[in-house]
Amino acid sequence: MGWAALSLRKMTLKQRINNLEQRLVNISQELQSMYDSSSYAQQALGVEKSQALMNLQNTYSNNTATLGGQYSGTTNTTDLAAYQTALQQEQLSLMYNQMIQNSLFTAKEQAMQETINQQETQLQLEQEQVETQLEAARAEYESLDEAVSQDIQSGAISLVS
């Protein structure tokens, strides 16, 4: 190849290298943004879970207070047994609802994590491909650089004295 053709190819490769390097930066930024968003989403989900469990606890407290008011001052053993049964039912209901809430939030967390893992895997695969392309482009650029130098040297006019 002539010096001009080699130089043109070098310029094209340099542009490709710059584009690939920029894509690597963009992928890195996308990964960081995804991690940040994921962290915020997980925190929000944690807050939502805490509020749901707190609401269940408040409902339980209100229901047990209402039961206490209904059976206050009772000395009858039948009424006391009914009161104990009602309290146990409320406690079982609370535990059951907490279990359901925990299951729902665990499923949400797993779905969110699965989505994040898929996106992360996709970006990492793209990053590997870009790095491979970048390595090849840099190698070709270096070989062209040497070829240009040799072409210039071989084409130089030598003055013999």
Side-chain angles (χ1 to χ4, degrees):
M1 262 191 219
W3 175 83
L6 290 174
S7 294
L8 184 59
R9 178 66 183 148
K10 254 182 79 173
M11 285 180 14
T12 304
L13 275 173
K14 187 62 177 171
Q15 181 63 43
R16 174 134 176 85
I17 289 169
N18 289 340
N19 290 342
L20 290 170
E21 287 173 342
Q22 183 60 46
R23 183 62 193 138
L24 284 176
V25 169
N26 292 345
I27 290 171
S28 178
Q29 289 173 341
E30 287 176 37
L31 281 168
Q32 188 59 48
S33 177
M34 182 189 67
Y35 294 143
D36 292 344
S37 296
S38 167
S39 176
Y40 295 136
Q42 288 174 344
Q43 288 175 358
L45 194 58
V47 168
E48 185 181 343
K49 180 180 179 179
S50 294
Q51 288 175 341
L53 293 175
M54 192 181 334
N55 288 339
L56 288 176
Q57 188 64 43
N58 289 340
T59 300
Y60 170 76
S61 297
N62 290 339
N63 290 348
T64 55
T66 301
L67 286 173
Q70 290 174 351
Y71 290 100
S72 69
T74 300
T75 56
N76 180 338
T77 56
T78 306
D79 288 343
L80 288 176
Y83 176 59
Q84 284 298 330
T85 302
L87 284 177
Q88 288 174 350
Q89 288 296 326
E90 283 299 320
Q91 190 173 25
L92 287 173
S93 177
L94 172 66
M95 290 169 39
Y96 177 74
N97 288 328
Q98 285 174 333
M99 184 178 69
I100 289 173
Q101 288 296 320
N102 284 330
S103 294
L104 289 173
F105 281 99
T106 299
K108 284 182 181 180
E109 289 167 356
Q110 287 174 344
M112 184 187 308
Q113 192 60 45
E114 186 177 313
T115 301
I116 291 165
N117 289 344
Q118 288 173 349
Q119 291 173 345
E120 180 181 32
T121 300
Q122 181 182 0
L123 286 172
Q124 287 175 343
L125 286 174
E126 183 180 355
Q127 184 177 18
E128 288 174 12
Q129 291 172 347
V130 170
E131 286 171 348
T132 301
Q133 292 173 13
L134 182 58
E135 187 178 316
R138 284 179 176 159
E140 185 179 352
Y141 183 83
E142 292 299 319
S143 70
L144 281 176
D145 199 30
E146 290 174 19
V148 166
S149 293
Q150 288 176 358
D151 194 44
I152 290 173
Q153 288 175 353
S154 67
I157 299 173
S158 56
L159 301 174
V160 179
S161 50

